[in-house]
Amino acid sequence: MELRHLRYFLVVANLSSFTRAAAALHLTQPTLSHQIRQLEDELGMHLFDRIGRSIRLTAPGKVFREHAERALQEVSTATAALKDAPRTVRLYRDLVCHI
């Protein structure tokens, strides 16, 4: 599973539309559908009920959405921490040197 799969899943889930999500992500609709299908295949379950031209999250999709949101938030937090790392190391080093 790749982070892009989580991002794509969340955009589709939030917009309730593959077409609108594809436009928002600057992808073609078939490409986005393929990426979501890969994710569903890897998980071994459907995340969306496809009803004609509309979609809705399945029960597993609702559970996965909560975890996907948290996972991407953790990645964002980790990335921000790394960007602050040089400053944090300097502060720690200054603190230790003054003790």
Side-chain angles (χ1 to χ4, degrees):
M1 181 179 319
E2 298 184 30
L3 289 178
R4 78 170 181 269
H5 289 126
L6 299 179
R7 288 185 184 104
Y8 293 173
F9 165 77
L10 289 173
V11 173
V12 174
N14 290 335
L15 295 177
S16 299
S17 167
F18 279 93
T19 303
R20 288 192 304 261
L25 292 164
H26 306 288
L27 298 170
T28 65
Q29 188 273 328
T31 297
L32 179 58
S33 292
H34 178 71
Q35 294 293 312
I36 296 299
R37 183 82 61 210
Q38 282 181 334
L39 177 60
E40 289 176 324
D41 288 346
E42 184 172 343
L43 295 171
M45 60 189 63
H46 292 286
L47 299 172
F48 296 99
D49 280 327
R50 292 153 177 88
I51 307 157
R53 296 183 61 85
S54 65
I55 62 166
R56 68 175 179 213
L57 286 169
T58 61
K62 290 175 184 177
V63 171
F64 190 73
R65 180 186 202 171
E66 294 176 28
H67 291 278
E69 288 171 342
R70 283 198 304 258
L72 287 181
Q73 182 58 49
E74 286 296 322
V75 169
S76 179
T77 301
T79 302
L82 288 177
K83 288 179 183 175
D84 288 341
R87 186 173 67 86
T88 302
V89 168
R90 277 194 310 276
L91 290 172
Y92 178 75
R93 185 179 37 219
D94 291 348
L95 178 65
V96 169
C97 290
H98 295 308
I99 295 179

